[in-house]
Amino acid sequence: MSAHWIAVASAEHVRRGRQEGFMQVNHGKSAPLRRIKPGDGIVYYSPSTVLGMKDGLQAFTALGTVREGEPYQGDMGGGFTPFRRDVEWAKASEAPIKPLLDRLEFTAGKSNWGYQLRFGLFSISAGDFALIAKAMGVATGAEATA
């Protein structure tokens, strides 16, 4: 994998993408998806189970590899046609972020660790990706170098 990313969405939205083999970010905008390339690793963080609900989920909910192809528009109904990328999702268990906060490079030592998550999509190190993958029960080649 050439790059690793965290995307942010409610678990409900992530589960639909996992079932149908795609990802969306930032309410369906295309520009963020163009930063991601085929072969990149993607992990979803879900602050809540349902969009707008404050249930305190705060967990990693999906992990996969971006497939070949460019972003395209999907039809969600009601005239909403968000941009997507196809993803090969790994069989992964959801993993809470709190036990990892002191070990992840993007959160370690930061009292405002959730700040970056507000952007909806950001790059992370191979080490962070491997640590999250391990917490989710997924073996990756990056674990050997982490």
Side-chain angles (χ1 to χ4, degrees):
M1 285 181 224
S2 52
H4 303 86
W5 303 89
I6 287 185
V8 180
S10 71
E12 178 181 60
H13 288 171
V14 173
R15 289 174 189 139
R16 179 170 179 181
R18 283 181 73 173
Q19 288 173 351
E20 298 180 28
F22 68 84
M23 67 174 292
Q24 295 174 187
V25 295
N26 299 84
H27 304 288
K29 292 184 174 70
S30 66
L33 289 179
R34 294 188 191 292
R35 295 172 38 207
I36 300 169
K37 303 296 179 205
D40 285 358
I42 194 84
V43 62
Y44 264 96
Y45 170 79
S46 298
S48 63
T49 304
V50 177
L51 180 64
M53 182 189 287
K54 301 250 188 257
D55 64 3
L57 178 64
Q58 297 182 323
F60 296 107
T61 52
L63 185 138
T65 304
V66 178
R67 290 183 171 179
E68 290 295 324
E70 295 295 321
Y72 62 92
Q73 286 183 284
D75 188 354
M76 297 287 285
F80 182 47
T81 56
F83 282 87
R84 300 174 170 173
R85 283 201 90 116
D86 288 335
V87 176
E88 179 69 38
W89 295 112
K91 185 175 179 183
S93 300
E94 294 184 4
I97 192 172
K98 287 187 178 175
L100 303 176
L101 290 177
D102 290 338
R103 300 183 333 196
L104 292 167
E105 292 173 39
F106 79 93
T107 60
K110 297 178 183 171
S111 58
N112 63 341
W113 59 265
Y115 181 75
Q116 277 190 95
L117 299 166
R118 294 175 182 225
F119 297 109
L121 179 73
F122 61 96
S123 64
I124 60 172
S125 69
D128 276 1
F129 187 82
L131 184 63
I132 295 165
K134 185 175 181 182
M136 296 179 78
V138 178
T140 67
E143 286 181 281
T145 60

